[in-house]
Amino acid sequence: MREPQRPLLSFIVPSRGQMGELWFSAPPLLVDGRVEYVLVDSGRAECPGHVARCYWPVAKVVDLPGCHPVDPGRAVRAGARVAAAPWLAVLGPAIIVSERFLSAVLAVRAEGVFLTADGGEDPVIVCSREALAQATSEDGAFGEALCRRLGALGLKRVQLPPGLFFRPEELRRRGTPAMPEVRFPDPVTIGIVGPGLGDIFKGLYYAYWVQQTYSVDVSLYTNWHGFRGKDFTPEPLLRKEAVVREILDLLDLPRPLPVVTDAPVEEVFVPDQLPWHFPMTVAARVRWRGWGRGLHRRIAYQLDGVSAADEKNPPPGDVARLLGFAPGFEMVPLGKHLSLRQCAEVAAESDLFFGVDSGMLQLCYAIGVPVFLIGYRMSCLHLFKWHGDRHAVYCADTADLVFKARLFLGLS
């Protein structure tokens, strides 16, 4: 495992609760490996901190529960406690930093001084970690109030040169900066994205995709703390190490994916709201047998999803039709009554698998058996998010499944 590279400058940004301004100001900082981006927000769902945790792997997000939007002075104090660089920059969320800002700071930084620049509504302040810790030791400060405290420490105020910031319209003319999600910390710890089996499969596939695509050292965090802004707790709600290891034992990974159980949760990237479209399903060691010797005359299925059961599972009156559409075929249920390996072995020797949105579908994608997904009352957007980049045949309801599966098997 590589040692993480220490940043030269940490940017502390108090959120005003508006995502729009951050779409312009954050990317220039998130793509620069020499700096660290610390966003302080209230921890509420769908707010900038929540979005940043989902889409910006290299962002360090600090929750400051209570007042929303956060008090900027308290936010500076909270951000300073987690910032890793020897020098810290404090700025408002609407300030767009040019590529010349870091070199300008490095050229004039010195002991006994703090740097300021005109950032419009709020001044930009740069000082040493030690100076900011002293200035905010009892309570926080932002803007000119922070400048006065730094001056009271005996530090000399030095003005940075002009022209270090963009206005949004200038940035639009220059073209959008590189998307912030193209850079991952190295190493990076990625967490499971939900409590269910399908969540764990999808999160594991994602972690391996990051490892392969971005050539970074990835470890997988196996505890579940809840969804940010909903039921999140600092202590794990569920510990899923055994299930994760059972899945890893089934998959044919060219490179190991280390398992982590004791990382600080604030250092774990948990992309639980991503659209989830990435072109990778890791193949299982147990593979679908195909039809080299004709049909297996066996069909695997799962119809008892746990989460959102009222939306995803078939009406009770449809079950008999679902289990009887292929006379002469053995119908084998997959689920918790079998181990994952046993489920894999059954699916590998079946002609197809049909079922509702569940972890069994994710397992069957890895095995390669033809998959028929029945939507019922599930949101089409939800199904597309979780299965739109996989090889499932989508079926709207029982009648649709029966028609398509019989056609596939040559029974119609």
Side-chain angles (χ1 to χ4, degrees):
M1 183 71 72
R2 301 185 186 98
E3 288 294 326
Q5 185 177 0
R6 191 182 188 193
L8 299 176
L9 182 65
S10 293
F11 287 85
I12 301 173
V13 181
S15 167
R16 290 199 183 99
Q18 300 172 355
M19 196 64 222
E21 55 194 8
L22 290 172
W23 285 126
F24 292 100
S25 63
L29 305 176
L30 291 163
V31 299
D32 191 337
R34 301 169 299 171
V35 305
E36 177 183 61
Y37 185 83
V38 182
L39 178 66
V40 185
D41 203 357
S42 64
R44 296 189 183 184
E46 311 307 330
C47 286
H50 183 64
V51 176
R53 275 198 176 94
C54 299
Y55 288 91
W56 299 342
V58 294
K60 186 176 286 186
V61 183
V62 179
D63 286 336
L64 198 61
C67 180
H68 180 82
V70 294
D71 174 77
R74 291 182 60 215
V76 169
R77 186 168 182 240
R81 287 198 292 265
V82 303
W87 280 70
L88 313 180
V90 176
L91 66 166
I95 295 174
I96 304 170
V97 173
S98 82
E99 63 273 13
R100 298 191 298 109
F101 183 84
L102 180 60
S103 59
V105 167
L106 297 180
V108 298
R109 64 176 175 170
E111 289 189 17
V113 306
F114 70 98
L115 315 177
T116 61
D118 181 11
E121 184 177 343
D122 305 305
V124 177
I125 303 167
V126 182
C127 64
S128 70
R129 172 204 296 281
E130 293 78 11
L132 190 60
Q134 291 182 53
T136 59
S137 59
E138 296 183 3
D139 59 354
F142 184 72
E144 286 297 337
L146 180 57
C147 290
R148 289 193 293 272
R149 291 195 186 184
L150 292 169
L153 296 175
L155 301 179
K156 179 182 177 183
R157 183 170 183 167
V158 175
Q159 192 73 11
L160 285 164
L164 298 179
F165 310 104
F166 296 119
R167 292 189 296 273
E169 56 270 23
E170 292 176 320
L171 200 64
R172 292 190 188 99
R173 288 197 298 268
R174 289 166 57 96
T176 304
M179 289 298 292
E181 60 264 35
V182 301
R183 188 169 72 88
F184 282 79
D186 190 9
V188 60
T189 300
I190 294 177
I192 58 177
V193 301
L197 182 64
D199 303 324
I200 297 171
F201 261 108
K202 197 77 170 184
L204 192 154
Y205 292 155
Y206 179 78
Y208 185 67
W209 175 73
V210 170
Q211 183 189 66
Q212 293 294 94
T213 304
Y214 294 96
S215 299
V216 297
D217 284 337
V218 178
S219 56
L220 188 67
Y221 182 71
T222 61
N223 297 333
W224 174 245
H225 293 254
F227 290 101
R228 292 278 179 178
K230 297 178 183 178
D231 57 352
F232 177 85
T233 66
E235 293 299 317
L237 297 174
L238 297 170
R239 300 181 186 274
K240 292 290 186 175
E241 180 184 2
V243 178
V244 168
R245 291 193 183 279
E246 191 177 2
I247 296 172
L248 288 173
D249 186 57
L250 281 174
L251 299 180
D252 188 15
L253 293 172
R255 292 176 59 191
L257 194 59
V259 169
V260 174
T261 61
D262 58 355
V265 68
E266 295 300 331
E267 298 178 7
V268 178
F269 177 51
V270 184
D272 58 1
Q273 297 297 313
L274 282 178
W276 283 113
H277 301 297
F278 51 93
M280 179 171 289
T281 295
V282 182
R285 293 189 176 94
V286 178
R287 299 294 294 166
W288 181 54
R289 306 291 194 271
W291 296 296
R293 298 182 180 179
L295 291 173
H296 302 279
R297 307 199 70 80
R298 171 192 279 177
I299 295 173
Y301 70 92
Q302 185 190 27
L303 300 171
D304 57 349
V306 177
S307 64
D310 292 341
E311 298 176 9
K312 68 172 56 171
N313 293 336
D318 284 14
V319 174
R321 188 181 181 194
L322 287 165
L323 300 183
F325 73 83
F329 284 70
E330 179 188 11
M331 292 284 184
V332 182
L334 304 185
K336 294 181 180 179
H337 61 289
L338 302 174
S339 69
L340 285 182
R341 180 164 292 278
Q342 288 171 326
C343 290
E345 290 170 350
V346 169
E349 296 181 352
S350 299
D351 294 302
L352 61 86
F353 169 86
F354 72 89
V356 297
D357 174 45
S358 70
M360 284 298 113
L361 272 85
Q362 301 293 342
L363 172 64
C364 288
Y365 295 147
I367 294 164
V369 62
V371 171
F372 287 69
L373 166 62
I374 317 175
Y376 291 115
R377 297 161 300 282
M378 293 289 290
S379 160
C380 291
L381 290 176
H382 175 91
L383 294 174
F384 186 70
K385 170 183 173 180
W386 284 95
H387 305 278
D389 55 349
R390 298 299 185 263
H391 61 262
V393 177
Y394 175 73
C395 306
D397 52 25
T398 297
D400 199 21
L401 177 277
V402 169
F403 173 77
K404 290 176 178 175
R406 284 182 58 84
L407 187 66
F408 181 81
L409 295 169
L411 302 178
S412 297

